[in-house]
Amino acid sequence: MTGRILAIVPSKASFSHMAVNQRIRALAAMGQLDVLAAYPAAFPNDAVQNVRVFGTPITARLPEGAARLPSFTMEALVWALLRRLQGARYRLVYCFQDTSAGGGWVLHGKRRGWVIDVLDDPALELRNALERRRRLKALVLRVRDAAFKPMARRADVIVTIGSSVDSALPALLHDEYGVDRSRLRPLNQAVDVAALPPAPLRQNNRTVIFYVGWVSPLRGVDTLVQAVRSLRSSGIDVELRLAGA
């Protein structure tokens, strides 16, 4: 197993996320890839070769929810510990902003890269749970965030969304999580706003707004819809178009 790459994927939704799919395919293109998945049946095996998918027997039987996080974390830690005791050597361990990244911590060592991919503010899901008064989920997420902070500080590389280390997400990880700026690797996956013309797109005297991304309340899309409704009720001719998962 010397020289293989390991990706630890904690949820079904991760496999349907465009950025995650791109990362998995990029890792597979680098060499032989092992994937430890909470839900291995959800792995999109099309167009991906040199990949071995490992499942976690307990978590795979659980529905998506608060119980999934601690279950997969424990199974990932045990799996990684067994691999280490067996002498497994991974040249790269790729994880997410999840306590299951602890598997990367176990397998981390000299001349081995431990990469954590942070796709959003780690505390955003916690705030969302608190607003919806989902107490059990909020409790689990508080523990997750407390455990994730030391992991983030020790990882070799933190991959984030943003055009520079001064972008919002890298800056948050530096300021609130104590991650050294030299370990942050922002990837520009957004629209280059500076390159766009300042005037809004207009069609037949109607202002058209495009939202391209993850269409969900967690990303604030519900607020955007309410704002458009408010503008239309005020007599402003505006149209919102949504594109994404």
Side-chain angles (χ1 to χ4, degrees), residues 129-177:
L130 291 172
E131 288 176 2
R132 297 185 178 188
R133 298 182 179 179
R134 300 178 64 178
R135 295 180 180 178
L136 177 59
K137 184 175 182 179
L139 175 61
V140 172
L141 293 173
R142 285 186 191 276
V143 174
R144 180 199 69 177
D145 289 354
F148 177 71
K149 285 186 177 181
M151 295 183 197
R153 290 193 291 267
R154 294 193 61 179
D156 293 309
V157 175
I158 299 284
V159 178
T160 71
I161 293 173
S163 57
S164 73
V165 292
D166 295 321
S167 298
L169 186 53
L172 179 144
L173 289 169
H174 175 265
D175 297 340
E176 297 189 19
Y177 284 74

Side-chain angles (χ1 to χ4, degrees), residues 112-127:
R112 269 170 274 168
W114 178 22
V115 178
I116 298 180
D117 197 342
V118 179
L119 297 167
D120 212 332
D121 177 356
L124 182 62
E125 192 177 2
L126 171 59
R127 291 197 296 270

Side-chain angles (χ1 to χ4, degrees), residues 8-16 37-39 42 64 68 72 96 98:
I8 301 177
V9 185
S11 70
K12 289 180 182 177
S14 298
F15 289 130
S16 61
Y39 300 99
E64 290 273 9
R68 187 269 311 166
F72 183 62
F96 293 93
D98 193 289

Side-chain angles (χ1 to χ4, degrees), residues 64-111:
E64 290 273 9
R68 187 269 311 166
L69 178 61
S71 173
F72 183 62
T73 294
M74 293 305 299
E75 288 194 283
L77 289 171
V78 171
W79 188 91
L81 181 59
L82 290 175
R83 284 294 182 275
R84 180 158 186 169
L85 291 175
Q86 292 167 359
R89 293 293 182 269
Y90 289 101
R91 61 189 174 98
L92 178 67
V93 182
Y94 171 80
C95 313
F96 293 93
Q97 59 197 64
D98 193 289
T99 46
S100 61
W105 200 339
V106 171
L107 290 167
H108 179 247
K110 293 182 179 179
R111 295 187 297 278

